[in-house]
């Protein structure tokens, strides 16, 4: 399921609910429907920037590669494309930019409405 974040300060941001949930949990917000007010935006930016910095310190290890190899088998489908892991910071970046714009322009961010 997709969540559409809306703000007058920035173009709409679409995220899968499973990816947005981590961010919304961090901000103590409901994934179904909610608002980040202009007053909350500075704290939300700081929290999300901190979480992104922490996630970069703990990048995915070779466990992902091991998991793919374990499930690949030795059949003709054993040659897979290179593994491309999408990091938390990459997924969070559009919403972070929206939060920054909302903070700077004093507008709210809404979703689920």
């Amino acid at each position: 399921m997709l969540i559409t974040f809306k703000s007058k300060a920035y173009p709409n941001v679409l995220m899968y609910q499973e990816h947005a949930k981590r961010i919304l949990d961090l901000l103590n917000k409901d994934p179904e429907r909610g608002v980040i007010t202009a007053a909350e935006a500075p704290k939300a930016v700081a929290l999300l920037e901190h979480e992104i910095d922490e996630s970069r310190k703990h990048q995915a290890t070779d466990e992902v590669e091991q998991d793919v190899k374990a499930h690949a088998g030795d059949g003709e489908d054993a040659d897979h494309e290179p593994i491309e892991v999408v990091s938390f910071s990459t997924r969070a970046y559009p919403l972070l930019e929206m939060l920054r714009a909302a903070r700077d322009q004093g507008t709210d961010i809404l979703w689920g409405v």
Side-chain angles (χ1 to χ4, degrees):
M1 183 170 174
L2 290 174
I3 295 177
T4 303
F5 294 95
K6 301 175 184 181
S7 176
K8 292 179 181 177
Y10 199 81
N12 290 352
V13 172
L14 293 170
M15 291 183 79
Y16 283 111
Q17 185 172 2
E18 64 188 79
H19 300 142
K21 186 173 181 344
R22 178 174 174 186
I23 297 168
L24 295 173
D25 285 348
L26 177 72
L27 302 175
N28 296 315
K29 298 292 183 177
D30 181 7
E32 296 297 321
R33 181 184 311 179
V35 61
I36 299 170
T37 65
E40 295 173 316
K43 183 179 178 186
V45 168
L47 284 169
L48 189 50
E49 287 175 339
H50 176 73
E51 187 72 11
I52 287 170
D53 288 342
E54 286 298 311
S55 73
R56 287 181 177 157
K57 292 178 185 175
H58 308 286
Q59 292 291 330
T61 62
D62 60 350
E63 292 174 9
V64 174
E65 186 175 352
Q66 290 173 358
D67 188 47
V68 169
K69 288 180 181 177
H71 293 93
D74 294 326
E76 67 181 61
D77 193 31
D79 293 329
H80 291 281
E81 293 292 322
I83 299 168
E84 295 181 30
V85 178
V86 179
S87 68
F88 172 73
S89 61
T90 301
R91 293 188 194 283
Y93 184 77
L95 187 56
L96 176 59
E97 285 298 297
M98 178 183 268
L99 282 165
R100 288 175 177 156
R103 173 197 63 195
D104 296 344
Q105 296 181 30
T107 61
D108 298 339
I109 296 174
L110 305 167
W111 63 96
V113 291

